[in-house]
Amino acid sequence: MHFKGKAHKVGDHIDTDAIIPARCLVTTDPQELGRNCMAGLEENWVSRINKGDILLGGKNFGCGSSREHAPIAILGAGIPVVVAHSFARIFYRNGFNMGLVLLEVGDEISRLSDGDELEIKALEGKIINHTTGDTVNSLPVPEFMADILAKGGLINYVREKVA
Amino acid sequence: MGKNLAEKILQKHSPEEIKKPGQIIPCRVSLVLANDITAPLAVDSFRKMQAPRVFDADKIALVCDHFTPNKDIASAEQVQKVRRFAREMNITHYYEGGNVGVEHALLPELGLVGPGDVVVGADSHTCTYGGLGAFATGMGSTDIAAAMALGETWFKVPETIRVNMNGSLDEFTTSKDLILNLIGRIKVDGALYRALEFAGDTLPELDAEARMTMANMAIEAGGKAGLFPVDQVTLDYCREHGRLGDHLLEPDGQAGYCMQVDMQVSGMPPQIACPHLPDNVTGVDDLEEIKVDQVVLGSCTNGRISDLRQAAHILKDRKVNKNVRFIVLPATPKIYAQALEEGLLEIFLKAGGIIGPPTCGPCLGGHMGILASGETCLATTNRNFKGRMGSLESKVYLGSPYVAASTAVAGRIIHPARV
């Protein structure tokens, strides 16, 4: 739960159509979905991403559809963690279920900029900004979500229950 | 302290006592739903969970309505995966061919969802069933796979916003206008993590279909659910659709709400959501210079028989503007047949409309009505995100069936009374 990478900032209300447009939903392959990550925001957005980079969202990140293809596309693009002002509810649940780490920081998001080099200690809720020297605290990851993450996602969690 | 609608329904399905919002509770589910986009991922997750079978083959609905009739090989193979799973698991409610309809119009029509139910669906507009007094909410495919395996899921008990609607609807103002107006006021994250509960003296004017239109768009305000109380209107609808044994359901007198919103309905003009968010809402009168290339009448929001009747009322003995493609998609085969019987389809055909099969296609830019760069569409659907219906350089406006029909005739957005 320790990440280091360059931040890529997007705006408020980034919807699931922006994260992965409907025309891309004829596959469930993470690599292919990853290649089209944010294609509804900008063609070829993903070309700027290096594996391990961090996405910064604004308010209500992931609003819209229930499509789980959205967190899968972000993970497929090589991004393991999203820090945002706030998350849309279904996306929040989907993210953790898929093993994508989501940190909610509210108005503190203004202290993180596009291009910043960030270090994230997810379970402690600490975001260290190496570009500015700042540290931003996130809301704690709910215990239930941390439990799912610790098991590597909801699939493993349920597998234990049905066994 | 009494319980609001969300708390009352969840309590009925949970072994844990609900004490306050924010509490995480396990909950038995009445029905689990997925479609041809989300079910393939749910099938994959279900296999990885190594569940031997679904919890109840009668309580799962798989509705292949988004890319069907299949638009390409990839979508056909997705449906094939769902079909094979449905056969293997003996799923009772599998819909794909002549029996398929837009899921959130189809399931209420079949009597599969109703008062007091807890319904989870891998589709964000699952909240539609709140129009019938069900706690219904959208989730992702893996959550749905878990619910298919276990027959239960977990919920964080939401806070509830109470929406008091008072007054009487004007001639061309509909429930679509009420929900657009509300979203315009509280914004797309106004109900984030919360439930909406509708109340007020306008309720008897809203039939079950009108209520489902409003509950459908609760998600557009970020809502977890949009709930109507169960009254005689609801019970009559449910009985007509084959459900027996439903009961009246109201919030307790001393229920807790995090916020109250008062809406004066009388005198409200038809509302339009402008590009590119459903909360960018204004009265139709402010937009009369906006020309359109396409009008879409349909979807889980406004593709029901009452919606087609409203549009036909405007289009009777009129022609669609020669610069407009007017696409009509009755939401289910039953609605299609009813519209045929009532002569509505003839009105649309004579006016120059295109009548398609029940499908979600154009609403999400899937197929049948994709927009080119620079094009503008007025749709009765629920989302107008950038690029939602096709090109990133296209625009979508949202409005009621009355506004859709009048706009199709005028070739520009116009108040139904002025066409």
Side-chain angles (χ1 to χ4, degrees):
Chain A
M1 294 297 130
H2 191 175
F3 310 97
K4 257 178 133 168
K6 186 174 162 182
H8 300 272
K9 197 161 191 170
V10 292
D12 289 338
H13 311 299
I14 293 295
D15 59 76
T16 47
D17 287 68
I19 299 169
I20 188 81
R23 64 184 154 78
C24 306
L25 301 182
V26 290
T27 179
T28 54
D29 176 49
Q31 297 310 313
E32 203 176 323
L33 291 168
R35 275 193 288 279
N36 289 299
C37 183
M38 294 289 171
L41 190 64
E42 191 186 311
E43 292 297 339
N44 235 345
W45 181 89
V46 81
S47 64
R48 70 185 73 179
I49 300 297
N50 289 310
K51 195 170 162 46
D53 279 358
I54 291 156
L55 189 55
L56 299 181
K59 290 180 184 169
N60 198 22
F61 183 89
C63 58
S65 162
S66 69
R67 60 185 73 155
E68 206 166 81
H69 311 66
I72 294 175
I74 293 170
L75 285 165
I79 298 169
V81 53
V82 184
V83 180
H85 177 283
S86 52
F87 291 95
R89 184 188 59 79
I90 302 175
F91 183 88
Y92 189 75
R93 214 169 149 140
N94 282 349
F96 284 100
N97 285 346
M98 293 292 97
L100 177 67
V101 178
L102 307 177
L103 295 176
E104 205 166 23
V105 297
D107 292 337
E108 296 285 287
I109 194 71
S110 63
R111 292 166 60 198
L112 305 169
S113 305
D114 193 50
D116 284 353
E117 290 295 334
L118 304 182
E119 182 179 348
I120 294 179
K121 296 175 181 173
L123 293 180
E124 293 168 46
K126 284 226 175 312
I127 302 156
I128 303 152
N129 189 336
H130 288 296
T131 305
T132 61
D134 251 359
T135 296
V136 170
N137 293 315
S138 78
L139 295 177
V141 171
E143 205 177 315
F144 193 80
M145 298 302 197
D147 196 21
I148 289 174
L149 275 183
K151 289 189 162 65
L154 185 68
I155 286 172
N156 294 340
Y157 183 87
V158 176
R159 190 156 52 198
E160 285 179 16
K161 278 196 138 185
V162 297
Chain B
M1 190 81 151
K3 285 187 164 61
N4 57 43
L5 279 176
E7 291 163 347
K8 272 183 116 155
I9 300 170
L10 290 174
Q11 186 64 84
K12 226 177 78 174
H13 296 259
S14 180
E16 266 177 45
E17 191 195 345
I18 295 178
K19 291 177 182 150
K20 59 178 193 312
Q23 190 182 341
I24 289 183
I25 54 159
C27 202
R28 299 292 300 170
V29 295
S30 316
L31 190 81
V32 185
L33 162 73
N35 60 49
D36 51 327
I37 290 179
T38 57
L41 272 175
V43 170
D44 291 347
S45 293
F46 187 88
R47 304 282 191 210
K48 288 180 199 156
M49 287 167 183
Q50 295 171 0
R53 66 190 71 82
V54 297
F55 82 104
D56 187 336
D58 292 331
K59 292 185 175 173
I60 290 164
L62 299 174
V63 185
C64 296
D65 56 356
H66 276 60
F67 290 147
T68 56
N70 282 131
K71 63 166 185 159
D72 55 17
I73 295 169
S75 61
E77 285 177 348
Q78 293 210 135
V79 169
Q80 188 178 53
K81 180 187 274 193
V82 184
R83 188 188 307 127
R84 285 176 176 163
F85 179 78
R87 284 182 187 160
E88 180 190 332
M89 297 289 164
N90 285 317
I91 303 284
T92 312
H93 299 292
Y94 174 75
Y95 304 99
E96 177 197 342
N99 59 6
V100 84
V102 171
E103 51 196 329
H104 308 310
L106 184 68
L107 301 192
E109 190 182 276
L110 293 170
L112 291 178
V113 290
D117 285 354
V118 169
V119 183
V120 293
D123 188 280
S124 59
H125 292 106
T126 301
C127 49
T128 307
Y129 316 133
L132 300 176
F135 186 93
T137 194
M139 293 178 170
S141 298
T142 299
D143 266 319
I144 287 307
M148 288 199 299
L150 304 172
E152 67 169 50
T153 189
W154 62 271
F155 288 115
K156 193 167 172 178
V157 177
E159 293 183 313
T160 292
I161 299 174
R162 169 110 157 176
V163 181
N164 304 303
M165 303 181 288
N166 293 301
S168 211
L169 289 164
D170 284 11
E171 185 186 3
F172 292 116
T173 301
T174 67
S175 70
K176 177 61 161 276
D177 304 299
L178 301 186
I179 189 65
L180 287 177
N181 181 273
L182 177 68
I183 297 165
R185 287 171 64 184
I186 69 172
K187 299 296 168 189
V188 286
D189 55 356
L192 201 55
Y193 312 130
R194 294 164 167 175
L196 293 171
E197 182 181 297
F198 297 99
D201 65 24
T202 310
L203 282 190
E205 283 190 34
L206 303 173
D207 65 18
E209 296 196 354
R211 295 175 189 189
M212 284 192 269
T213 295
M214 293 190 74
N216 174 274
M217 290 190 73
I219 180 69
E220 262 55 71
K224 184 169 191 161
L227 286 156
F228 279 80
V230 179
D231 58 10
Q232 199 54 45
V233 172
T234 328
L235 294 182
D236 289 346
Y237 177 93
C238 291
R239 195 174 310 112
E240 281 163 22
H241 293 85
R243 276 180 71 104
L244 302 169
D246 287 321
H247 301 288
L248 297 171
L249 181 64
E250 282 190 340
D252 293 336
Q254 295 299 309
Y257 298 98
C258 64
M259 193 172 130
Q260 302 256 355
V261 178
D262 292 311
M263 282 177 84
Q264 180 48 249
V265 163
S266 310
M268 184 190 292
Q271 306 282 298
I272 307 280
C274 302
H276 293 292
L277 277 179
D279 67 6
N280 194 8
V281 174
T282 185
V284 66
D285 298 337
D286 298 334
L287 296 166
E288 296 211 335
E289 294 312 310
I290 306 288
K291 287 188 176 168
V292 303
D293 304 285
Q294 179 169 296
V295 171
V296 174
L297 174 64
S299 85
C300 59
T301 321
N302 285 109
R304 298 183 182 83
I305 192 68
S306 51
D307 303 310
L308 301 190
R309 283 178 189 144
Q310 288 167 6
H313 174 75
I314 303 282
L315 278 160
K316 189 166 169 51
D317 301 324
R318 287 195 169 105
K319 290 279 183 201
V320 169
N321 185 284
K322 64 179 169 40
N323 297 318
V324 175
R325 307 179 297 272
F326 176 55
I327 301 170
V328 183
L329 303 173
T332 69
K334 193 174 168 193
I335 295 166
Y336 202 118
Q338 178 82 21
L340 186 66
E341 195 181 307
E342 292 182 19
L344 310 181
L345 298 188
E346 193 180 349
I347 291 172
F348 297 139
L349 269 177
K350 281 188 174 162
I354 307 157
I355 300 166
T359 179
C360 304
C363 174
L364 77 160
H367 67 160
M368 298 193 192
I370 307 290
L371 297 175
S373 152
E375 288 196 320
T376 298
C377 179
L378 182 291
T380 66
T381 57
N382 40 46
R383 288 195 175 130
N384 58 348
F385 300 149
K386 194 178 174 206
R388 171 77 175 172
M389 276 192 169
S391 167
L392 286 177
E393 310 308 321
S394 62
K395 288 180 179 163
V396 179
Y397 291 80
L398 306 176
S400 72
Y402 281 131
V403 172
S406 56
T407 298
V409 170
R412 61 190 173 90
I413 295 174
I414 192 168
H415 193 297
R418 277 196 287 283
V419 70

